[in-house]
Amino acid sequence: MKSNSQPIKLFLVVAFSCTSLLVSLIPVLAKPTLGSSLSDAYGGLRLRSHPKTTLAQATIFNQPTLPPGPPPGGRVRGGAKRGPGCELTKLDLTALVPFTQEANSVINVWGQTTEERPSWFFYVPYTKDYPYAVEFVLQDQDSNEIYQKAIALPDKPGVIRVSLPSTAPALAVDKQYHWFFTINCDKEENSPPTFVQGVIQRVELNPATVKELQTTEPLKRYAIYAQNGIWYEALTILAQLRQKNPQDAALQAEWRNLLSSIRLDDIAAEPILSDKP
């Protein structure tokens, strides 16, 4: 029996070691990281995450504190009213931007950007079939108008993008700007328009973060911006990725997570209609 016992023990030891190694590798192989490819567009292997894994790794948007000085105020939803104004819709005109509600019910709509000429996103419930006049206006902190643009209503309700063009003045660092998105539904202008409004401020990131942003792929850039409280770039990058990969379940989950983090869950399922500057 002695001649047989040693080979059997050796076999059991080797088998146990291999099994332990395989078990230790399974979590590593099964757990996609934020920098991993979530879509063929990023190159390499396509990872199909289980929904629980996606939620467990969802990027957190770190909403910054309000800037010093008077509160920015604002309006994140523009509800239509009965009468000669805008037709009632299932969802209101909505600005895709963070907001806080104070104890006195005052709403503050405020977000940061690092771009000289950022983009804004709005959910628009009306289509080009309505004869409504739509306008986007940007003012400096002294209420001087620095940009104004008439906006064409889309073919169907959904999220549209409005970008500051190269012909418009660049946003200055550490300055606050007021933006307004207005839909005037009454040709006679006897009724007030439906509108949303808020404040945007351009800030600068530290050099190490800027360098990292320059050398990483889009999904990781999105995470860096979100973690640093830079709303406008985080939203723009994620919207662009979703448009390029509309069937990507991981990106859809990330979009829902981002909008849910600012309490706009109801807008998360609406289509993104345009990615044109």
Side-chain angles (χ1 to χ4, degrees):
M1 296 298 292
K2 284 185 179 181
S3 61
N4 293 331
S5 61
Q6 291 298 330
I8 291 174
K9 288 181 179 180
L10 180 60
F11 172 79
L12 292 174
V13 170
V14 172
F16 178 79
S17 299
C18 292
T19 302
S20 299
L21 178 60
L22 180 59
V23 170
S24 66
L25 285 174
I26 287 175
V28 176
L29 294 173
K31 182 179 179 182
T33 62
L34 187 58
S36 301
S37 298
L38 294 184
S39 174
D40 293 336
Y42 315 137
L45 178 67
R46 178 182 178 88
L47 298 177
R48 297 185 178 276
S49 307
H50 188 279
K52 291 184 179 179
T53 303
T54 301
L55 291 175
Q57 297 189 56
T59 298
I60 301 299
F61 174 70
N62 291 321
Q63 187 164 330
T65 57
L66 291 176
R75 182 183 177 97
V76 76
R77 297 186 189 266
K81 296 179 175 58
R82 296 187 182 278
C86 298
E87 182 174 314
L88 295 175
T89 53
K90 181 180 178 181
L91 295 175
D92 293 331
L93 167 68
T94 304
L96 275 62
V97 65
F99 67 97
T100 59
Q101 186 166 0
E102 310 305 323
N104 56 3
S105 298
V106 172
I107 300 292
N108 289 310
V109 183
W110 181 77
Q112 292 181 332
T113 182
T114 61
E115 296 289 331
E116 291 184 344
R117 296 175 177 86
S119 295
W120 290 258
F121 287 81
F122 303 95
Y123 169 76
V124 179
Y126 304 108
T127 68
K128 62 182 182 181
D129 296 328
Y130 290 91
Y132 298 163
V134 186
E135 182 180 61
F136 176 81
V137 172
L138 185 66
Q139 297 178 346
D140 64 19
Q141 56 189 10
D142 296 319
S143 299
N144 299 310
E145 184 176 301
I146 62 173
Y147 180 69
Q148 180 275 335
K149 180 178 176 59
I151 305 296
L153 285 170
D155 293 335
K156 61 179 181 179
V159 175
I160 68 168
R161 175 183 178 182
V162 178
S163 297
L164 202 60
S166 59
T167 53
L171 301 189
V173 175
D174 294 331
K175 298 293 184 181
Q176 295 182 29
Y177 297 83
H178 295 261
W179 52 263
F180 304 83
F181 188 95
T182 304
I183 301 179
N184 197 324
C185 306
D186 182 7
K187 289 184 178 181
E188 305 299 325
E189 298 187 358
N190 293 322
S191 299
T194 181
F195 68 96
V196 289
Q197 69 178 87
V199 170
I200 185 172
Q201 182 174 2
R202 184 183 167 203
V203 297
E204 289 184 325
L205 295 171
N206 64 66
T209 302
V210 172
K211 184 176 181 180
E212 186 179 5
L213 286 166
Q214 294 171 344
T215 57
T216 191
E217 50 95 10
L219 193 61
K220 181 62 176 177
R221 290 205 306 272
Y222 153 72
I224 293 171
Y225 280 122
Q227 290 161 1
N228 282 275
I230 308 299
W231 173 258
Y232 286 92
E233 279 70 86
L235 183 68
T236 299
I237 290 173
L238 193 56
Q240 290 173 330
L241 289 174
R242 282 211 59 211
Q243 285 188 292
K244 293 176 181 177
N245 307 276
Q247 304 305 317
D248 193 311
L251 289 175
Q252 292 173 5
E254 199 64 64
W255 180 259
R256 289 194 300 271
N257 169 70
L258 182 64
L259 293 188
S260 295
S261 72
I262 61 167
R263 293 171 287 172
L264 295 182
D265 313 59
D266 55 340
I267 304 299
E270 298 303 313
I272 305 172
L273 301 181
S274 175
D275 193 33
K276 296 180 180 179

